[in-house]
Amino acid sequence: VEDLRRLGFSEKQALSIENYRKAGGRFLRPADFGKSYVVADSVYQRLRDFIDIPKVDINTADSASFDDLPGIGPHYASKIVEYRAKLGGYSYPEQLMDIYRFDREKYDALSDLICCSPPRDSFELWSLPAEALARHPYIRNLTVARGIVLYRDNNPRQSLTVDGLRSAGVLSDPDAERLGRCAIASPLKTRQ
């Protein structure tokens, strides 16, 4: 309340904002603060450039943080966390649209509220066994995973690329494009 008063709000305005927060209200965007009935347009215009609301990092947030985003709710919050585990971490924010029924409209409604830190670990495409590869959402089945292992075992290290897998017919164009944007560990240095 004192901080708000120092910014030029009256005691009544500051208490109103504080009560809103205590009741579970959140400002997701700076414009949300400006829409508050106790914030005059002139005050919002003066403070707009100084309002810093942290973005939700899709690689570190818990389901409760996702649940607070517009259009998400508990169902999609759990799906976001579940998909992150399957991927081994998001490599770019648009990967959210790979989740079933998470369309462009839903993504656009929250894209300015999220960020994507690098995944904790790179995907070990060039060293995992076929069974582990098959669990990745862009590989999806054991036949493709076995094709990756066969390609990996029969090609020199410099040929071990996602484009190489696409050219060899192991990955479809859409899957190769999506996998190519992921954080992938470099091929093992010991391979010839």
Side-chain angles (χ1 to χ4, degrees):
V1 172
E2 286 305 312
D3 289 340
L4 290 168
R5 294 212 51 221
R6 279 194 291 270
L7 290 172
F9 291 98
S10 70
E11 179 82 21
K12 186 176 179 181
Q13 290 171 317
L15 286 171
S16 179
I17 293 168
E18 184 63 19
N19 288 337
Y20 173 74
R21 289 178 180 159
K22 284 181 180 176
R26 293 192 52 217
F27 301 111
L28 297 176
R29 297 174 170 93
D32 294 344
F33 183 73
K35 292 176 188 173
S36 176
Y37 72 94
V38 298
V39 179
D41 287 341
S42 60
V43 173
Y44 171 67
Q45 293 303 322
R46 182 172 48 89
L47 298 176
R48 180 180 52 197
D49 294 337
F50 303 101
I51 298 172
D52 183 25
I53 300 173
K55 293 185 177 193
V56 174
D57 186 337
I58 62 174
N59 271 331
T60 60
D62 59 11
S63 61
S65 298
F66 291 125
D67 193 17
D68 289 340
L69 294 172
I72 297 301
H75 171 75
Y76 280 110
S78 67
K79 293 294 180 193
I80 292 169
V81 172
E82 181 182 306
Y83 198 67
R84 178 177 64 200
K86 287 180 183 178
L87 285 170
Y90 292 102
S91 296
Y92 52 97
E94 293 83 2
Q95 281 181 299
L96 292 175
M97 291 187 288
D98 293 340
I99 297 169
Y100 182 67
R101 293 195 173 173
F102 198 110
D103 58 14
R104 170 60 71 177
E105 184 179 341
K106 188 173 289 300
Y107 176 77
D108 287 345
L110 59 79
S111 64
D112 64 324
L113 303 175
I114 61 172
C115 65
C116 183
S117 64
R120 189 170 40 101
D121 297 313
S122 297
F123 181 55
E124 297 288 339
L125 178 66
W126 307 115
S127 61
L128 288 172
E131 294 77 18
L133 290 172
R135 289 191 289 270
H136 194 280
Y138 301 154
I139 297 171
R140 293 188 302 273
N141 68 60
L142 197 52
T143 303
V144 174
R146 286 181 179 145
I148 292 170
V149 171
L150 188 63
Y151 179 85
R152 172 175 81 201
D153 291 346
N154 291 290
N155 285 283
R157 194 183 101 202
Q158 63 271 18
S159 297
L160 300 183
T161 65
V162 173
D163 281 335
L165 291 170
R166 178 194 337 231
S167 297
V170 176
L171 289 176
S172 69
D173 287 344
D175 286 340
E177 184 178 331
R178 293 187 304 173
L179 187 61
R181 291 185 67 193
C182 291
I184 298 174
S186 65
L188 295 174
K189 294 178 181 178
T190 57
R191 277 194 48 85
Q192 298 300 323

